[in-house]
Amino acid sequence: MSTAKKLFGSLRPNTMNRENYPAYTRSVEEQYLQMLLTNTMSNTFYADQQELLEESAGLHQEMAHSNPDFMAKALVYARSEGFMRLQPLFGLAVLSGIRPDLFALIFLKIVRIPSDLFDFLTILKGLGRGEGGRAVKRQIGRFLSMTTEYWAMKYNGRGRGYSLGDAIATAHPKPADLKQQALFRYLRGHEANLGLLPQVEALEKLKLSSSEEESIGWIERGKLPYEAVTGAIKPTRAIWEALLHQMPTFALLRHLNTLQRAGVLDQQENMEYAISRLTDAASLKKAKILPFRFVTAFRQVEHAEIRDALREAVDLTFDNLPELSGRTAIFLDISGSMTGQYLEIGAVFALALYKKTNGNSLFWLFDTQVEDAKPSRRDSILSQAERIRARGGTDTGAPVRKLLKEGQKVDQIIIITDEQQNSGSPFYRELERYRAKMGRDVKAFIVDISPYRSAMVPSQDPNTFYIYGWSDSVLSFIAQAQQGYGAMTQRVSSMELGQEKDKQDMVEE
């Protein structure tokens, strides 16, 4: 193939998007990374669960055979940086049967908590692999060697189809000491010395308690996690109050609505405690909570003080990220296909981006028309995001045309979209026109928050960067790319997997 063919052969659209509008095909590595970071296997505007499952299964198989090294790195990146679970676990199960060496290297980087293990085993069985063989059992055994009383109480139910007891029966790990031997026996349902397991003993006493006061006593004495308590008894308001002070930050966020319904937040002391937890910057950073979790909670709760705390929490989540230099144009797709979580996520990111430019940016909304979002640097991200609504069709070229018509000079364009254009002039055509008049070095960042595999821009364009997914690492990547950092696929390719440690920091999600 000639050099000219390689460089320019696919600068014209060579596929169609879901709206049958001309689009571009990107490399299988980019398609794979996009799928890992955006495909939660839930229904989207254009595709149902089964279709997304079949597409992802095909991509996992293709990557495992064509570029397993990149696959392994991408799985780790999606789990650790993108905070995704199900697709990395799916990919890990596929990789286990094709490259057991890479599988062993990354297992503990993907399977981080027992619910990960249960889903992995479910996927493995669904693929017709049974228990996976010796290589898989060896890694499961390594994981189970880290089992704690906390895990035993939280994860030994059968809500996910498997329990820790099932996993122990599968891998037959050798206990390291008498306490672990007692723990394994307990998890298998055998008689065990609970004197060696004070938390487990407190849970078993809780199940037999005859009064609210006695129940609270065992909860506090054993520092029992809310999952164990709610699985053992039906909590009263007083018991929810006791649990409030033992919930991790993410659990508190998820249960705000439950706490509200139980009347727990009606007490000023409880309200103030919840607010202090939700606005603790260090705790928020450690919890690695995705922005849309705050949006969901914000939509559900009614207490004005809690809603204010959630507004503050989202702003704090982005506070520690790098600021963006240069003048920036931020375009948010508000077309009908963005309805729901896509727009909720997109609006939060767009407003966070705007704040990170210190006001040195434009923030426009577009469907087939373009309007100024009139953002505020002082108003909270959640309050402003709540006012943005979906409507109409999609013309991704419209905001760039307006930019050129008004003679607005920017250093970078950031567009947040699901890329499903169905009218108007293509984004890339308008981008090239803009660059021809305003500067060839204008960078474009396309933040694609959908799992659809077509693209708006050919992969040969050196000044256009594709970003897949919705974690706060998006902002970090844009800031790095401004300084010449490579594309997202290059970032993944350059990762060092290293040697897996026996112990690791387990993040509850």
Side-chain angles (χ1 to χ4, degrees):
M1 183 182 292
S2 70
T3 301
K5 180 68 174 177
K6 290 180 181 177
L7 293 175
F8 303 103
S10 60
L11 289 182
R12 292 185 176 182
N14 55 6
T15 189
M16 296 287 181
N17 68 15
R18 302 272 175 159
E19 287 275 16
N20 290 318
Y21 195 91
Y24 297 88
T25 301
R26 300 189 74 77
S27 70
V28 66
E29 285 79 13
E30 288 184 89
Q31 292 181 45
Y32 187 65
L33 194 56
Q34 176 186 16
M35 181 269 291
L36 287 177
L37 291 169
T38 61
N39 186 348
T40 59
M41 295 193 206
S42 60
N43 289 339
T44 68
F45 191 86
Y46 292 102
D48 61 23
Q49 284 182 320
Q50 189 58 37
E51 184 179 355
L52 292 174
L53 175 61
E54 291 172 358
E55 284 191 1
S56 60
L59 268 176
H60 284 308
Q61 287 289 341
E62 183 175 358
M63 284 303 304
H65 286 95
S66 66
N67 196 344
D69 289 317
F70 180 86
M71 178 182 185
K73 293 176 180 179
L75 293 174
V76 173
Y77 181 86
R79 185 70 180 96
S80 59
E81 299 291 328
F83 314 136
M84 302 297 279
R85 285 188 64 254
L86 199 54
Q87 283 294 355
L89 291 169
F90 190 0
L92 184 69
V94 172
L95 190 65
S96 70
I98 298 170
R99 283 293 302 271
D101 56 330
L102 288 173
F103 162 78
L105 190 60
I106 68 171
F107 183 84
L108 293 182
K109 297 176 185 289
I110 308 297
V111 177
R112 303 176 69 167
I113 53 178
S115 55
D116 294 339
L117 179 62
F118 305 157
D119 285 342
F120 171 78
L121 290 170
T122 299
I123 294 168
L124 202 65
K125 186 175 181 180
L127 293 174
R129 297 273 314 285
E131 296 177 349
R134 289 183 181 178
V136 171
K137 291 181 180 180
R138 188 177 303 116
Q139 298 310 313
I140 294 174
R142 291 178 66 205
F143 178 85
L144 291 173
S145 70
M146 297 180 286
T147 302
T148 63
E149 286 187 75
Y150 175 76
W151 280 8
M153 293 184 294
K154 181 175 178 179
Y155 296 106
N156 206 39
R158 297 181 179 270
R160 291 178 178 268
Y162 282 88
S163 68
L164 279 171
D166 296 329
I168 291 169
T170 296
H172 303 290
K174 293 182 179 180
D177 52 32
L178 290 177
K179 180 175 180 178
Q180 193 167 76
Q181 182 183 57
L183 189 59
F184 285 177
R185 288 186 60 81
Y186 170 76
L187 289 168
R188 291 288 291 124
H190 300 153
E191 185 177 347
N193 181 3
L194 297 187
L196 298 173
L197 308 171
Q199 277 193 294
V200 169
E201 185 176 37
L203 176 61
E204 293 304 314
K205 296 287 188 180
L206 172 67
K207 294 176 182 178
L208 301 174
S209 62
S210 57
S211 69
E212 183 179 78
E213 183 180 1
E214 185 183 359
S215 295
I216 293 173
W218 286 117
I219 291 169
E220 293 178 345
R221 194 177 312 171
K223 296 182 179 180
L224 301 181
Y226 73 95
E227 301 96 335
V229 174
T230 56
I233 62 174
K234 185 176 181 180
T236 62
R237 172 175 168 170
I239 289 174
W240 274 117
E241 287 182 353
L243 292 174
L244 168 65
H245 294 269
Q246 297 175 199
M247 286 185 181
T249 304
F250 187 26
L252 173 59
L253 182 67
R254 289 179 60 192
H255 287 81
L256 281 175
N257 196 32
T258 300
L259 293 168
Q260 176 183 268
R261 290 199 310 269
V264 174
L265 300 180
D266 293 338
Q267 294 291 326
Q268 188 63 31
E269 182 181 353
N270 295 335
M271 174 81 74
E272 291 175 357
Y273 174 79
I275 289 172
S276 69
R277 291 287 306 282
L278 292 170
T279 55
D280 184 323
S283 295
L284 290 171
K285 183 178 180 180
K286 182 179 180 181
K288 298 180 180 179
I289 302 171
L290 292 175
F292 73 85
R293 300 288 189 182
F294 294 102
V295 177
T296 301
F298 188 73
R299 190 170 58 240
Q300 292 176 340
V301 299
E302 298 172 356
H303 282 272
E305 296 94 331
I306 294 293
R307 287 170 66 87
D308 283 342
L310 292 171
R311 292 184 179 99
E312 184 178 347
V314 169
D315 289 3
L316 287 170
T317 299
F318 292 106
D319 268 356
N320 62 335
L321 296 171
E323 294 180 353
L324 303 179
S325 60
R327 191 161 190 252
T328 305
I330 302 165
F331 304 145
L332 174 62
D333 184 350
I334 60 168
S335 63
S337 62
M338 292 283 288
T339 299
Q341 194 178 87
Y342 284 176
L343 188 57
E344 290 177 348
I345 295 165
V348 167
F349 276 130
L351 287 158
L353 285 165
Y354 178 77
K355 289 199 171 189
K356 282 300 172 182
T357 64
N358 289 316
N360 189 24
S361 60
L362 305 167
F363 177 23
W364 292 349
L365 311 175
F366 75 92
D367 50 359
T368 54
Q369 304 295 318
V370 183
E371 68 174 78
D372 189 339
K374 295 182 173 59
S376 167
R377 291 171 58 195
R378 294 178 176 82
D379 196 2
S380 75
I381 289 173
L382 276 184
S383 292
Q384 295 182 78
E386 190 179 32
R387 296 193 287 268
I388 296 175
R389 297 286 187 270
R391 68 186 188 207
T394 312
D395 180 0
T396 57
V400 188
R401 284 198 304 275
K402 179 178 173 64
L403 205 62
L404 184 57
K405 182 179 179 180
E406 295 183 358
Q408 300 264 17
K409 177 70 172 74
V410 298
D411 298 293
Q412 57 258 340
I413 294 170
I414 303 173
I415 183 169
I416 302 168
T417 178
D418 65 353
E419 298 196 73
Q420 298 308 301
Q421 183 156 353
N422 54 23
S423 65
S425 179
F427 173 81
Y428 189 58
R429 182 187 302 168
E430 299 301 334
L431 177 63
E432 287 295 271
R433 287 182 59 228
Y434 182 83
R435 283 171 169 167
K437 292 194 175 183
M438 295 296 188
R440 299 302 305 178
D441 58 347
V442 174
K443 290 181 171 62
F445 297 90
I446 300 173
V447 182
D448 187 334
I449 57 176
S450 74
Y452 313 128
R453 294 167 65 178
S454 58
M456 301 191 305
V457 172
S459 57
Q460 292 91 336
D461 188 323
N463 283 321
T464 298
F465 302 84
Y466 259 79
I467 301 169
Y468 305 113
W470 46 48
S471 80
D472 54 13
S473 62
V474 168
L475 300 182
S476 296
F477 177 80
I478 291 175
Q480 290 166 343
Q482 286 179 319
Q483 307 303 318
Y485 207 96
M488 188 172 268
T489 50
Q490 293 174 319
R491 181 178 181 178
V492 171
S493 295
S494 66
M495 287 174 56
E496 293 289 341
L497 290 178
Q499 295 298 315
E500 183 58 79
K501 298 178 181 179
D502 289 335
K503 301 291 182 182
Q504 59 175 314
D505 179 27
M506 296 293 173
V507 179
E508 295 293 339
E509 302 190 28

